[in-house]
C-alpha cells in the first residue's frame, strides 16, 4: 500500500500507483478524478464553484471547475498520461442547504456537476462513473493502482464506482 495523498478544498494533486488520492467532506463541491490505467497515474481536483469567469481576483485555479479541470488535465499530460486513455469519475455536488426561492447557493452542487460534464466533453474525456447530488457530504478516495473510486458518507454504505 502506498501513500495516501490528501487533496484539500480548492486543491488539486496528481499521484501514481501505489499511492492513492483522498479528499474529505465534499458537499456541494465536486471531487473529479482523471485516471490513465496504463501508467496507473491519477489526478484529483476538489473544486467549489463551477465557473471562474463569474468572479474577479480568482487566484486559485483549483477553486473553479473550468480552470481546475483544465489544470488537472495539463498536469496529467505533463506527467505522461495519454489523453486518449484518460477516464474521469466525479462525486459530490450535493444540495447541502434547503433554500427557499431561486437562490444561487442552493443549486451550486448541481451546477458544479454540470460543469464537470461540460469540461470533460470539451477535453474529450469519458465520464465513466458518478455519484452526485442528494443532500449529504462525501469523502472520496482514488486508488491509483486500479482506478477504483471509493465513496464514504456518514450513515451510508460505502461504495466503489
Amino acid at each position: 500500500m502506498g501513500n495516501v495523498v490528501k487533496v484539500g478544498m480548492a486543491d488539486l494533486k496528481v499521484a501514481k500507483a501505489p499511492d492513492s488520492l483522498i479528499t474529505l467532506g465534499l458537499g456541494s463541491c465536486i471531487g473529479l478524478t482523471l485516471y490513465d490505467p496504463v501508467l496507473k497515474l491519477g489526478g484529483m481536483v476538489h473544486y467549489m464553484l463551477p465557473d471562474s469567469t463569474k468572479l474577479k481576483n480568482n487566484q486559485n485555479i483549483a477553486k473553479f471547475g473550468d480552470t481546475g479541470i483544465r489544470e488537472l488535465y495539463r498536469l496529467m499530460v505533463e506527467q505522461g498520461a495519454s489523453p486518449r486513455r484518460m477516464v474521469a469519475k466525479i462525486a459530490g455536488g450535493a444540495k447541502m442547504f434547503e433554500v427557499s426561492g431561486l437562490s444561487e447557493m442552493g443549486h451550486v452542487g448541481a451546477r458544479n456537476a454540470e460543469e464537470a460534464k461540460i469540461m470533460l466533453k470539451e477535453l474529450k474525456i469519458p465520464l465513466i462513473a458518478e455519484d452526485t447530488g442528494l443532500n449529504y457530504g462525501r469523502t472520496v478516495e482514488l486508488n491509483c493502482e486500479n482506478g477504483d473510486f471509493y465513496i464514504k458518507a456518514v450513515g451510508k454504505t460505502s461504495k466503489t464506482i
Side-chain angles (χ1 to χ4, degrees), residues 12-54:
L12 55 85
K13 302 239 170 70
V14 174
K16 206 167 169 48
D19 294 350
S20 59
L21 291 155
I22 191 167
T23 193
L24 310 173
L26 289 171
S28 57
C29 297
I30 289 282
L32 176 141
T33 63
L34 297 178
Y35 183 68
D36 180 327
V38 174
L39 285 187
K40 298 187 179 197
L41 182 72
M44 183 186 292
V45 58
H46 176 157
Y47 67 86
M48 299 163 66
L49 296 166
D51 185 358
S52 66
T53 62
K54 301 271 190 285

Side-chain angles (χ1 to χ4, degrees), residues 32-105:
L32 176 141
T33 63
L34 297 178
Y35 183 68
D36 180 327
V38 174
L39 285 187
K40 298 187 179 197
L41 182 72
M44 183 186 292
V45 58
H46 176 157
Y47 67 86
M48 299 163 66
L49 296 166
D51 185 358
S52 66
T53 62
K54 301 271 190 285
L55 292 172
K56 294 181 175 64
N57 300 328
N58 41 13
Q59 304 305 321
N60 183 352
I61 56 177
K63 187 174 181 177
F64 303 94
D66 57 350
T67 50
I69 295 167
R70 274 193 201 105
E71 178 62 8
L72 185 64
Y73 175 83
R74 190 188 70 72
L75 289 174
M76 291 281 293
V77 170
E78 194 175 82
Q79 294 199 24
S82 162
R84 283 197 306 276
R85 286 194 306 254
M86 269 192 259
V87 292
K89 296 181 181 181
I90 62 172
K95 187 173 179 184
M96 295 306 285
F97 311 99
E98 219 28 77
V99 190
S100 56
L102 295 170
S103 160
E104 285 289 290
M105 241 356 255

